[in-house]
Amino acid sequence: KLGESLSGVIRKITLAGMVDEKLVREVVRDIQRALLSADVNVKLVMELSKKVESRALKEKPPAGLSRKEHTIRVLYEELVNLLGGGEAYALPQKARIMLVGLQGSGKTTTVAKLAKYFQKRGLRVSIIAADTYRPAAYEQLSQLVEPLHIKVFGSPESKDAVEVVREALTQVGKSDIILLDTAGRHKSEEELFREMVALAEVFKPDEKFLVIDSNLGQQAGTQAKAFNEHIGITGVVLTKLDGSARGGGALSAVAATGAPIRFVGTGEGIDALEPFDAERFISRLLG
Amino acid sequence: VVLDERKLEELLSEFEIALLESDIAFDVAEKIISDLKQNLYGKKFKRSELEAAIKASLEQSLREILDLPSVSLEEMIRRKKEKPFVILFVGINGTGKTTTIAKVAKRLMGRGFTCVFAASDTYRAGAIEQLERHAEKLGVKLIKHARGADPAAVAYDAIEHARAKGKDVVLIDTAGRMETNVNLLEEMKKIARVAKPDLVIFVGDALTGNAAVEQAERFNSAVSIDGIILTKADADAKGGAAISIAHTIRKPVLFLGTGQSYDDLVEFSADWLIREILG
Ligand SMILES: Nc1nc2c(ncn2[C@@H]2O[C@H](COP(=O)(O)OP(=O)(O)OP(=O)(O)O)[C@@H](O)[C@H]2O)c(=O)[nH]1
Ligand SMILES: Nc1nc2c(ncn2[C@@H]2O[C@H](COP(=O)(O)OP(=O)(O)OP(=O)(O)O)[C@@H](O)[C@H]2O)c(=O)[nH]1
Ligand SMILES: [Mg+2]
Ligand SMILES: [Mg+2]
């Protein structure tokens, strides 16, 4: 009699185990679909889903959580870890901040937004416009920050960005925050990358922010890696999150640079800048 | 030897990864692979030929997606008897619309067409000045109003000017706008209603990931897109966005932007794209 019921229990546990494994696999497939359609790097998705699957199968779900809920909770933890553990950003009170990134990612607009952000918190801000390539770049930045009455140093006629920075630093006086806007560039434009290194050497920034368009797809990690290798990135700003893109490329950028996401851009206006919130970002990422 | 189910699944998932890594949107890549699987069903291959057979079939599907009727831009302009030929450029923020307009103008002027620019981005800081610099460098007439003016009115003005002066082409620059911004999509519709363009070109960034589908759909339902130009192809873009967009709205990619100078505009080639995606 005992033997019979024991074998019945064993069979039930084995069956449940098989159901659990099947369930976890299905949840992991859904996770892969969500992450891939949010532009997370393919290899990173595969790594993440392997980790999540093995943890979800090994760990016993805490009391009250279904196997499925536990799997999602494990994913959340892995993503928060990837994003740097979610420590709050101690806003610098005195810093030189250099912004770099691909063409059209939103650097100039972000400089204006950051200028207002710091100014609102009582800090004196100066801006250096060192994009000497793009037609009317200086005008764009000047117009954007006009309501802030912040001096924009730059020389619309100059073709030498390094010289613009050098000159500006002699005039910038008592500023708490100095923001440096640079020209867009990608890793195959070797001369522009060399210029970026030269700019960092002259400016000696405390922060180097990589500005990333949330629409950016699978190339995010590769480009971020190149920027990091050349000047060392200390922070990421993710722009255009007011579109339908969910910004999965930012995960690769963080993974490639070891730098946390500091701010997100949510519109064209000068107020459309928010400090990064990992929980909100992840729940949007998972759709 | 009948298709080895397990080997097939393995190869298909490897190819799906290749599609995803070249920036083809997830839903599009999934559809391509499932159609591929259907096509291969019931066929017989030697195990050693399986991979080559899948690759050939995949290349065929990609070509079919890109194979859309398209006349050259110059031919389109020549076919329209009544001048000017009006081209409206639209797209989300920062994709390269303004720069692309300058490139297209240079190309057309090199082929004997006269051009007029309409500065219909009346919103963004420095937008009119940026287009103005290009106009000066290229020797193109620019029609502009004050910042904040009605974009449709600027377009109308430029077309009237072109008509009066017998100019061949009007190129209308518009502000970048997110596909999620209903008000700005309405504004774009109004510009199109007033300007009645002969060609609406969607300017997209070749590095765009999954958002390319939503952007193409929403822009296409607001103003019927006639053709696409993908920019920044020089930034090591695999260009999968071309497949996502072509698959979604069935419109041809006309050109690729390959740099920041006026000459960096090339006719789109399916061969280039297929090589980037499948190696
Ligand atoms: N909707 C939206 N638009 C944005 C955001 N950030 C920037 N933009 C827009 O994106 C476009 C490009 O922004 P810029 O600031 O000129 O980009 P950039 O990186 O300086 O460009 P380059 O200097 O040419 O490399 C502009 O139309 C901006 O208004 C954002 O968070 N949301
Ligand atoms: N490398 C590269 N850069 C490009 C290409 N096309 C445009 N750019 C750059 O992309 C940035 C944005 O170009 P814009 O022409 O201002 O883009 P836009 O779409 O008009 O931007 P908004 O009007 O703000 O929406 C500039 O720095 C251009 O030089 C290209 O094909 N290759
Ligand atoms: Mg800029
Ligand atoms: Mg523009």
Side-chain angles (χ1 to χ4, degrees), chain B residues 193-222:
Chain B
R193 265 201 310 277
V194 167
K196 301 190 181 53
D198 300 292
L199 194 68
V200 177
I201 293 187
F202 177 80
V203 180
D205 190 324
L207 295 168
T208 311
N210 283 267
V213 171
E214 193 78 359
Q215 288 164 16
E217 263 171 357
R218 298 221 183 170
F219 272 78
N220 195 39
S221 32

Side-chain angles (χ1 to χ4, degrees), chain A residues 33 36-37 39 42-43 46 102-104 134-136 139-140 143-144 184 186-189 192 215-219 223 240 242-245 268, chain B residues 17 20-21 23 26 30 92-94 123-126 129-130 133-134 147 176 178-180 207-211 214-215 232 234-236 238 260:
Chain A
R33 159 177 261 116
L36 287 171
S37 55
D39 295 317
V42 176
K43 299 232 161 19
M46 296 316 168
L102 298 175
Q103 285 88 354
R134 175 168 158 151
E139 285 79 348
Q140 180 187 8
Q143 284 176 24
L144 283 173
H186 61 72
K187 68 181 181 51
S188 302
E189 293 167 322
L192 292 182
N215 290 287
L216 185 56
Q218 293 290 316
Q219 292 299 318
Q223 291 288 345
K240 308 181 200 173
D242 47 311
S244 26
E268 287 194 82
Chain B
I17 287 180
L20 292 170
E21 287 187 324
D23 274 323
F26 182 79
E30 209 176 41
I92 70 152
N93 304 70
Y123 169 75
R124 205 206 71 207
E129 291 84 341
Q130 183 185 6
R133 296 286 161 75
H134 287 309
R147 188 177 170 196
M178 282 305 172
E179 70 281 7
T180 45
L207 295 168
T208 311
N210 283 267
E214 193 78 359
Q215 288 164 16
K232 311 177 199 171
D234 51 306
D236 297 324
K238 295 281 183 72
Q260 304 189 76

Side-chain angles (χ1 to χ4, degrees), chain B residues 29-278:
Chain B
E30 209 176 41
K31 177 93 176 51
I32 292 173
I33 295 295
S34 77
D35 286 354
L36 183 60
K37 193 169 176 193
Q38 292 252 10
N39 287 342
L40 296 175
Y41 191 72
K43 295 211 176 100
K44 292 184 168 53
F45 298 100
K46 286 212 195 76
R47 202 165 207 273
S48 59
E49 298 174 335
L50 191 53
E51 184 163 350
I54 295 179
K55 188 170 181 188
S57 180
L58 187 52
E59 177 167 337
Q60 178 61 21
S61 345
L62 293 177
R63 283 193 187 281
E64 280 168 19
I65 291 172
L66 295 171
D67 181 23
L68 292 154
S70 90
V71 181
S72 85
L73 179 60
E74 291 76 15
E75 182 58 24
M76 283 189 230
I77 298 171
R78 273 183 221 110
R79 282 184 190 178
K80 186 183 184 206
K81 294 302 168 220
E82 191 193 338
K83 298 204 256 232
F85 186 91
V86 179
I87 310 177
L88 180 66
F89 292 81
V90 299
I92 70 152
N93 304 70
T95 57
K97 298 175 290 302
T98 307
T99 309
T100 298
I101 285 171
K103 293 177 184 176
V104 171
K106 172 128 199 257
R107 176 188 171 100
L108 291 179
M109 290 178 359
R111 282 145 210 253
F113 298 102
T114 52
C115 295
V116 173
F117 285 164
S120 288
D121 178 353
T122 57
Y123 169 75
R124 205 206 71 207
I128 298 172
E129 291 84 341
Q130 183 185 6
L131 188 58
E132 192 157 32
R133 296 286 161 75
H134 287 309
E136 287 163 4
K137 282 219 191 101
L138 293 171
V140 174
K141 172 72 180 169
L142 172 76
I143 298 296
K144 61 173 179 167
H145 294 181
R147 188 177 170 196
D150 176 9
V154 181
Y156 183 83
D157 244 4
I159 295 167
E160 286 307 293
H161 170 91
R163 189 165 293 144
K165 305 284 182 176
K167 298 291 176 78
D168 298 313
V169 187
V170 174
L171 299 98
I172 306 171
D173 189 15
T174 64
R177 67 204 67 228
M178 282 305 172
E179 70 281 7
T180 45
N181 191 319
V182 176
N183 292 341
L184 290 185
L185 292 182
E186 284 305 311
E187 177 195 80
M188 178 175 65
K189 278 187 195 168
K190 175 172 175 215
I191 300 173
R193 265 201 310 277
V194 167
K196 301 190 181 53
D198 300 292
L199 194 68
V200 177
I201 293 187
F202 177 80
V203 180
D205 190 324
L207 295 168
T208 311
N210 283 267
V213 171
E214 193 78 359
Q215 288 164 16
E217 263 171 357
R218 298 221 183 170
F219 272 78
N220 195 39
S221 32
V223 292
S224 178
I225 293 173
D226 299 303
I228 296 141
I229 295 182
L230 281 188
T231 63
K232 311 177 199 171
D234 51 306
D236 297 324
K238 295 281 183 72
I243 297 282
S244 308
I245 297 172
H247 186 267
T248 305
I249 62 173
R250 306 305 298 140
K251 299 291 165 67
V253 180
L254 303 175
F255 296 102
L256 292 180
T258 56
Q260 304 189 76
S261 317
Y262 296 136
D263 295 324
D264 295 327
L265 188 74
V266 305
E267 287 172 28
F268 176 72
S269 132
D271 288 339
W272 167 81
L273 185 61
I274 309 266
R275 254 201 319 282
E276 286 297 315
I277 296 173
L278 296 181

